[in-house]
Amino acid sequence: MALDLPDVLVTDAARPNTRGAWTMVIMLFLAGILSVIDRAALNILVDPVRGTLGISDEQIGLLQGLAFGLFYAFMGIPMGLAADRISRRNLIVAGIGLWSLATIGSGLAQSFGSLFAARLLVGLGEAALGPAAISLIADLFAPARRGRPISVYMMGQGLANGVAISLTSLILAAAGTGAFLGFPVLGALVPWRIVFVIFGACGLVIALAMLVLTREPPRQGDAPQGAAQVPGAAEAVYLWRNRGVLLPLYFGFATCFTVAYGGASWAPSMLLRAYGATPGYLGAWLGPLSMLFSAIGPLIGGTLLDRSMRSGDTLARFRILSIAPLFALPFTLSVLAHELHFATVLVASANAVFSVVGTVMFATLQSVVPPRMRGSSIALTLVLNTILGASLGPLIVASVTERVFGNPAMVGWSIALVCVPFLLLGTGLYAIALGAIRKARQTGDSDCARLLAGEAL
């Protein structure tokens, strides 16, 4: 199989109708919210889970990172290759069903080992969403109109942190007053377990709705396929041939999201431990503020993308990526705020920054790889993000807290010590990618540069 570069762009007439396209986007938006809620809920439940299961901060770090990330990383590339070959809608529905059942299993886990196994299956199910979702959007919308739908999808994932904080706090408060007594299954569970079971059940509803309300769109830009090759071989050749542009893009994203995962995993604990916040405060303040910033970020990213496409400035997205991560520096230094509400605003502001980075990054990848590589190109970001970000980020912060500071209340300083260098490194890698694509456009010897030029036409 060769990854043919299309000579002409697909016309809008060949794409599905607007109503069907946006129905799919809305379902992806909801799926994105649930995918992050099922991960983020654990960040709010750190101390109750520790108390019930008798585990340490480092074990919590493993549950936040490695347990989720192991299957998520190793299955990312196979899921991306599958998204390029089979029904993406059905792949997503199956993934939602699996991670939702595993989330329910998380709430019923009786030991560190069983909770670790449940988080592994959450990661396996969620590995299907990202590659298939972005590939679907690329086939549903023309290049000049992709910014907004991608931003809506990314907004769901950004909003989810705030939604998770608010809903988790609400459920915990309701469970504390006995609101679930008498309910089947829920009535016999402690509050943190009820949170996982409710979130898992919601996922099963979304999976069924997506199966009923959406359909798989035709793939755009497909070319006749040659002799079959080992799956992934042509993708690997394309990546290596364009490594000057693609490698710093990928590693810049993964490095920035080491900050996103590592900081976000422990920021609620920082507010609880260092600033004296309560779970009720997090639900009333951090949750809504996170949702506000999460709504702002993708809208900014999508608007910048669409405007740059209409102006013909194909390098604008690279310039955005080389600057935007720096706006997360205040978040990494929120331990210096010395006032609870100010620190809360700084923590929440990171949602806007990383939503812009994610929106622009995914749209950029869809523009610098051929159509038959759209799913696998996103899968590779998820693999690297999981290995460097979701797996290592929370664990490194937890290890610094326990082994360097030896004081749980110092977790805010751990966030600063770990995240500031990673953030600066990610920004530098994006700057390298910008220089590489600028040079490639001048020399004309890069597939990525030719695809960008064709998209502008």
Side-chain angles (χ1 to χ4, degrees):
M1 179 189 73
L3 290 171
D4 300 311
L5 303 182
D7 294 323
V8 295
L9 294 176
V10 178
T11 63
D12 283 350
R15 300 179 189 277
N17 63 74
T18 301
R19 181 178 179 181
W22 278 103
T23 299
M24 178 67 79
V25 171
I26 291 170
M27 297 308 303
L28 295 175
F29 168 83
L30 294 174
I33 288 178
L34 280 172
S35 73
V36 177
I37 282 180
D38 290 345
R39 298 176 232 167
L42 182 59
N43 301 339
I44 317 301
L45 301 170
V46 166
D47 290 331
V49 172
R50 284 182 64 205
T52 301
L53 301 183
I55 58 180
S56 67
D57 270 2
E58 280 193 325
Q59 287 176 303
I60 288 291
L62 289 171
L63 291 171
Q64 291 169 322
L66 184 64
F68 166 81
L70 195 60
F71 277 0
Y72 193 75
F74 281 106
M75 293 305 298
I77 295 298
M79 290 293 186
L81 294 172
D84 289 332
R85 290 161 173 80
I86 66 174
S87 169
R88 293 158 291 186
R89 185 207 61 170
N90 292 346
L91 185 64
I92 291 173
V93 168
I96 296 173
L98 176 59
W99 92 55
S100 299
L101 291 173
T103 300
I104 294 173
S106 299
L108 303 178
Q110 298 299 314
S111 67
F112 172 77
S114 58
L115 183 53
F116 191 94
R119 304 317 287 171
L120 283 174
L121 293 178
V122 171
L124 175 60
E126 291 188 14
L129 178 61
I134 300 298
S135 177
L136 280 169
I137 292 172
D139 280 342
L140 290 167
F141 297 89
R145 296 171 53 216
R146 284 178 195 154
R148 184 167 297 174
I150 289 178
S151 72
V152 170
Y153 168 66
M154 293 300 298
M155 187 188 300
Q157 301 205 353
L159 287 170
N161 281 310
V163 173
I165 292 168
S166 295
L167 288 183
T168 299
S169 300
L170 181 64
I171 294 171
L172 288 175
T177 63
F180 298 102
L181 293 177
F183 280 69
V185 180
L186 297 180
L189 300 177
V190 296
W192 71 264
R193 296 184 184 278
I194 293 174
V195 171
F196 282 122
V197 172
I198 289 177
F199 287 160
C202 290
L204 295 177
V205 173
I206 294 300
L208 179 61
M210 189 169 188
L211 189 64
V212 172
L213 298 176
T214 66
R215 64 181 181 84
E216 175 79 5
R219 295 181 186 269
Q220 308 295 341
D222 270 351
Q225 303 300 308
Q229 295 183 355
V230 176
E235 289 85 350
V237 169
Y238 184 89
L239 173 64
W240 186 249
R241 191 167 65 237
N242 297 277
R243 61 188 179 277
V245 173
L246 294 178
L247 289 185
L249 267 182
Y250 278 115
F251 281 101
F253 192 51
T255 304
C256 286
F257 271 75
T258 301
V259 178
Y261 285 114
S265 294
W266 289 103
S269 295
M270 177 194 70
L271 296 176
L272 291 168
R273 297 174 182 179
Y275 286 98
T278 64
Y281 172 86
L282 295 183
W285 287 95
L286 182 59
L289 282 172
S290 296
M291 286 186 275
L292 175 63
F293 281 107
S294 297
I296 293 171
L299 292 177
I300 294 173
T303 300
L304 291 174
L305 280 170
D306 287 345
R307 286 185 177 179
S308 67
M309 280 301 303
R310 287 193 290 269
S311 69
D313 185 2
T314 56
L315 296 188
R317 66 200 76 182
F318 287 87
R319 288 193 291 272
I320 294 169
L321 290 173
S322 64
I323 295 172
L326 295 176
F327 288 90
L329 280 172
F331 154 65
T332 65
L333 299 173
S334 54
V335 68
L336 299 174
H338 299 303
E339 197 279 322
L340 176 58
H341 291 84
F342 184 33
T344 303
V345 172
L346 294 181
V347 168
S349 69
N351 291 281
V353 177
F354 292 117
S355 293
V356 170
V357 173
T359 299
V360 177
M361 176 68 180
F362 286 168
T364 300
L365 284 176
Q366 298 304 288
S367 298
V368 297
V369 301
R372 290 295 297 180
M373 194 177 164
R374 284 172 176 159
S376 53
S377 71
I378 299 299
L380 185 54
T381 70
L382 303 182
V383 169
L384 293 174
N385 278 12
T386 301
I387 294 173
L388 291 178
S391 296
L392 291 182
L395 183 58
I396 294 173
V397 173
S399 295
V400 170
T401 302
E402 287 197 350
R403 301 181 183 276
V404 176
F405 295 115
N407 182 357
M410 298 287 285
V411 67
W413 290 101
S414 301
I415 292 172
L417 189 62
V418 171
C419 292
V420 170
F422 273 94
L423 197 62
L424 296 176
L425 177 59
T427 303
L429 288 168
Y430 274 136
I432 292 172
L434 171 62
I437 192 66
R438 183 180 287 128
K439 180 180 178 181
R441 191 174 66 168
Q442 293 170 351
T443 60
D445 60 354
S446 165
D447 298 327
C448 295
R450 286 194 290 273
L451 282 169
L452 277 179
E455 193 174 80
L457 293 175

